[in-house]
């Protein structure tokens, strides 16, 4: 199912590329052009094979600095002729192939190199290598070896993936959080950048990037979905707050006025933060289970132990607000269970003993303090939403004041409205983008991830389409 594929890294298959020793170069040329294999880096032999191949030595002499983008030829290598023709790119490509050839395992005239291939691309690779006498042999995944991670290249997960990849490489066993992380980001952005007019401008810019990009805009096309989602959420929250290029009274206030109800807005922002933290703990617990089973999921501070402490805090706040002794009692029981479980996990990780017990105690105290501070940190959703509303109100009051003066003051009112909204748009857009990213990384991702994966980096050297004259 597509939605399941979007929530998991691409399935990787351990393989060996095998061929007769005299066909290894042809197999490697085709594999490099296909660009779907990440080959393991084997250490050089005892004689230093692979460190200074003929093509590598020639390349170092001809191009002592950074080599050009390498290319490959399907014809047998002729380094002298390529040098005469100035085809340094072919020499660089041949150097890469020779290095890989030197790393091959060879027994009884058969050579093999081991690596990883996305499982869905395995048939195409096997068919291509078969044309030059090679074979792709599926292997069992070695115990204790983590496959490289390639995130889904389909749909919104692909567009939101840079948000996750700039923080960490998703471990292969973990859920791919790109989609939910992107949705959380645009919701937080919209709550701080809450103005239907400004949001409409963002949405329009996103649609231009997607459908009618100018040549200088094409580099930003990959972020169009971020802008569209942020613009749409800004429109929604702007309508809830009654903001359209400031408090112009064009839109009715569907929920609350930030300037008149800052306490309610603050409570709502902390509530949104609680929901997002609960989701992060749920995703973190699933990841800990996928990484190490129920024991790891139960004892990890980013797993059930931390989630239990979070529920205890929510129950305590709810019990105090509602005056419910039963809810407070539930909070106490959850807190004791969460603290005991988290301490046991931290103690096991520290190695035990007196020093380990002290270290676990300090880490447990830090866990509790961070839990409260992380929740309160979401108050910035209200603070920056209130700042946006205040700037809009200042611009609108100045505009209406000048407009009432008549004459040239009307021109000044128009200029103030346009320039003021442009400054507010730019300033608040930058602030909201940074603050939403900060909340995503420090408050949410710190619970989703407990380790880092290995990025999938396929070996790719294209075959040149130019004819090399004899």
């Amino acid at each position: 199912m597509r939605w399941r594929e979007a929530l998991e890294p691409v399935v990787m298959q351990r393989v060996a590329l095998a061929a007769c020793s005299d066909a290894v170069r042809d197999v490697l040329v085709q594999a490099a052009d296909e660009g779907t294999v990440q080959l393991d880096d084997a250490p050089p032999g005892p004689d230093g094979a692979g460190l200074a191949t003929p093509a590598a030595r020639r390349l170092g002499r001809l191009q002592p600095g950074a080599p050009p983008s390498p290319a490959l030829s399907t014809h047998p290598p002729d380094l002298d002729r390529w040098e005469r023709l100035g085809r340094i790119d072919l020499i660089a490509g041949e150097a890469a192939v020779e290095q890989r050839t030197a790393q091959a395992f060879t027994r009884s005239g058969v050579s093999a190199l081991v690596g990883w291939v996305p499982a869905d691309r395995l048939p195409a690779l096997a068919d291509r290598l078969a044309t030059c006498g090679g074979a792709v042999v599926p292997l069992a995944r070695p115990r204790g070896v983590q496959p490289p991670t390639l995130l889904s290249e389909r749909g919104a997960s692909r567009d939101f993936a840079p948000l996750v990849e700039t923080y960490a490489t998703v471990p292969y066993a973990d859920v791919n959080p790109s989609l939910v992380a992107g949705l959380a980001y645009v919701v937080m952005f919209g709550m701080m950048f809450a103005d239907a007019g400004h949001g409409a401008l963002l949405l329009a810019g996103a649609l231009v990037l997607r459908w009618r990009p100018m040549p200088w805009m094409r580099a930003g096309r990959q972020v169009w979905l971020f802008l569209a989602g942020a613009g749409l959420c800004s429109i929604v929250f702007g309508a809830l707050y009654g903001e359209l290029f400031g408090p112009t009274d064009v839109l009715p206030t569907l929920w609350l006025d930030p300037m008149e109800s800052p306490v309610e807005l603050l409570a709502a922002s902390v509530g949104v933060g609680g929901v997002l933290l609960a989701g992060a703990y749920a995703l973190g617990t699933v990841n800990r289970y996928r990484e190490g089973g129920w024991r790891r999921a139960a004892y990890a501070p980013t797993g059930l132990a931390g989630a239990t402490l979070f529920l205890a805090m929510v129950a305590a706040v709810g019990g105090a607000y509602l005056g419910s002794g039963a809810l407070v009692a539930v909070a106490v029981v959850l807190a004791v269970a969460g603290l005991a479980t988290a301490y046991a996990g931290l103690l096991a990780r520290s190695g035990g003993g007196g020093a380990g017990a002290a270290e676990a105690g300090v880490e447990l105290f830090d866990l509790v303090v961070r839990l409260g501070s992380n929740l309160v940190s979401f108050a910035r959703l209200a603070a920056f939403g209130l700042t946006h509303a205040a700037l809009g109100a200042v611009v609108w009051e100045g505009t209406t004041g000048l407009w009432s003066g008549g004459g040239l003051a009307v021109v000044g009112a128009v200029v103030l409205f346009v320039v003021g909204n442009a400054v507010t748009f730019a300033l608040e857009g930058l602030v909201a983008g940074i603050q939403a990213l900060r909340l995503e990384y420090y408050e949410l991702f710190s619970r989703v991830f407990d380790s880092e994966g290995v990025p999938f980096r396929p070996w790719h050297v294209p075959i040149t389409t130019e004819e090399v004259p004899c």
Side-chain angles (χ1 to χ4, degrees), residues 44 97 104 228 285 329:
V97 169
T285 300

Side-chain angles (χ1 to χ4, degrees), residues 323-340:
S324 172
L327 200 54
V328 172
V330 170
V332 171
V333 173
L334 289 174
V336 171
L339 288 170

Side-chain angles (χ1 to χ4, degrees), residues 312-323 327-328 331 375:
M313 183 182 66
V314 172
V317 173
Y321 179 76
L322 299 174
L327 200 54
V328 172
L375 181 60

Side-chain angles (χ1 to χ4, degrees), residues 187-189 191-193 241 265 268-270 272-273 276 377-386 435-436 439:
V187 167
M188 291 187 293
F189 182 95
M191 196 168 183
M192 290 183 283
F193 197 71
Y241 298 167
L265 184 60
S269 67
V270 174
V272 170
L276 292 176
S377 183
F378 282 91
R380 70 188 65 227
L381 296 177
F384 290 105
L386 187 61
Q435 293 301 324
L439 289 170

